[in-house]
Amino acid sequence: MLKRLLKIVLSTLLIGYVGIGALLYSFQDKLLYHPTANIKIDYPQIVLHQDDAEVVVHILNEGHQNAILYFGGNAESMARSADYIAQQFPTFTCYLMDYRGFGESTGIPSEAALYGDALVLYDRVAQKHERISIGGRSLGTGIATYVAAHREVSKLALITPYDSIVSVAQGRYPLYPAALLLKEKYDSLSRVKDIKAKTFIVIAQNDKVIPRIHTQKLINVFKEEQLQVMLIKNRGHMDISDDAGYYKIMQDFIGEG
C-alpha cells in the first residue's frame, strides 16, 4: 500500500514537472517579449525593409555629427520615451528602434531577427555620422552588446544588463535546464571579449527583475580600464530612469563621443 502510494505521488510530481516545463517552453516568447502599442509621434522615421518585416526607427534631433542608437527594454515604448530622450541628448541625433511586433514595426521578434535589424540600422546610420554610441536597457542590453561586438562603437552604455537570458532564467526556475529549454540566449557574457568600446554599466540597487548577480557576472569579464560602473540607489528595474541623476551620468559618460 505504501509503495503504491509513493508511486502515485512520484508519478504525479513527474507529470507536474514535465507539464510546467512544457508550458515554460511553449510560452517562452510571450514571457520574453511584451510588445508595445502603436503610438504616433511627431518625429521623422526611417523604415528598414527587411525580408519579413518593416522595422520602424524614430529619429530625434536630426542633423548632428554624432549619433546614439538606443535599444530599449522589454515593454518600453520608444514613442513614450522619445520626448525625454530628445531633451536629454540635444547635441546627438538619436535613433530609437521599435522591435519587430513593437510599436509601428511589423513582424515577429526573435533574437536573430533583432540582431540583424540592429546591424542594418547601424550600417545605415554610419553613413551619416562620424561617431556612434550605443545605449541598451534591460532586454536591449543584449542587442547593444551584439552590435558593439560586431561594429565600431564610440561608447557603450548598458542599463540594468544581464550576463545572459539563460542564466537569468536558470536562477528564476532552478529546477529546469534553461539552456535546453530556451531558444533565445542573448548571451552578452560571451561577447565581452570582442567589445572594444569604453563601457558604462548602470545598476538599480533594488532591481528584482535582473538580480545583481547576473549584472556582476557581466562586470567581472570586462577589462577594468575599459569599464565604469554606477549604482543608482533606492531604485528598481522599472523606475531607474526616474532618478534625478540618471540622465546626467549618461550625458557625462557619452560626452562628445
Side-chain angles (χ1 to χ4, degrees):
M1 175 99 178
L2 185 59
K3 286 184 178 180
R4 184 182 176 191
L5 180 60
L6 182 60
K7 187 176 181 180
I8 291 172
V9 170
L10 291 175
S11 296
T12 302
L13 290 174
L14 180 60
I15 291 170
Y17 175 83
V18 172
I20 293 172
L23 286 173
L24 289 173
Y25 180 82
S26 299
F27 289 97
Q28 62 182 281
D29 288 345
K30 293 186 181 300
L31 293 171
L32 184 58
Y33 302 112
H34 298 156
T36 54
N38 181 356
I39 301 171
K40 297 292 184 181
I41 55 175
D42 294 327
Y43 287 98
Q45 297 175 342
I46 56 175
V47 180
L48 307 178
H49 298 280
Q50 306 292 66
D51 290 340
D52 52 351
E54 291 190 345
V55 179
V56 174
V57 181
H58 308 282
I59 308 173
L60 320 180
N61 307 329
E62 279 190 297
H64 291 286
Q65 187 177 39
N66 298 328
I68 297 172
L69 307 187
Y70 177 67
F71 302 105
N74 197 1
E76 181 181 0
S77 169
M78 294 298 94
R80 290 197 171 100
S81 298
D83 282 344
Y84 206 66
I85 292 175
Q87 292 167 16
Q88 298 303 318
F89 299 98
T91 61
F92 289 81
T93 299
C94 302
Y95 296 84
L96 315 184
M97 187 174 78
D98 280 340
Y99 302 142
R100 294 179 183 219
F102 287 60
E104 296 188 56
S105 294
T106 64
I108 298 172
S110 72
E111 181 179 8
L114 299 191
Y115 288 167
D117 296 341
L119 290 184
V120 169
L121 174 60
Y122 177 99
D123 291 342
R124 188 156 172 178
V125 167
Q127 299 173 24
K128 302 172 62 176
H129 298 279
E130 182 175 323
R131 295 181 182 177
I132 298 174
S133 295
I134 294 183
R137 179 171 177 173
S138 192
L139 176 66
T141 63
I143 302 169
T145 58
Y146 183 85
V147 177
H150 290 84
R151 295 292 187 271
E152 183 179 348
V153 171
S154 177
K155 301 284 183 68
L156 174 64
L158 304 173
I159 301 99
T160 61
Y162 46 83
D163 49 350
S164 74
I165 290 297
V166 171
S167 179
V168 174
Q170 191 64 70
R172 191 165 295 173
Y173 306 103
L175 296 180
Y176 291 91
L180 297 178
L181 289 176
L182 293 185
K183 297 178 289 184
E184 313 283 67
K185 310 299 184 184
Y186 287 100
D187 186 2
S188 290
L189 196 70
S190 67
R191 289 194 284 269
V192 170
K193 66 184 185 301
D194 299 315
I195 296 173
K196 308 304 181 191
K198 286 285 187 180
T199 301
F200 187 36
I201 288 180
V202 185
I203 304 168
Q205 183 181 36
N206 301 328
D207 196 332
K208 299 295 190 287
V209 178
I210 307 295
R212 180 82 66 84
I213 187 174
H214 299 291
T215 303
Q216 191 61 49
K217 287 179 181 179
L218 188 66
I219 290 169
N220 291 345
V221 295
F222 273 97
K223 296 176 183 177
E224 186 176 347
E225 65 273 16
Q226 180 184 6
L227 184 67
Q228 289 179 239
V229 178
M230 177 69 72
L231 175 71
I232 303 292
K233 294 183 177 180
N234 303 316
R235 293 291 177 180
H237 191 82
M238 302 304 294
D239 66 353
I240 186 172
S241 57
D242 294 339
D243 187 271
Y246 173 81
Y247 281 104
K248 177 62 167 60
I249 61 174
M250 298 295 289
Q251 292 162 357
D252 289 344
F253 172 71
I254 293 175
E256 290 303 316

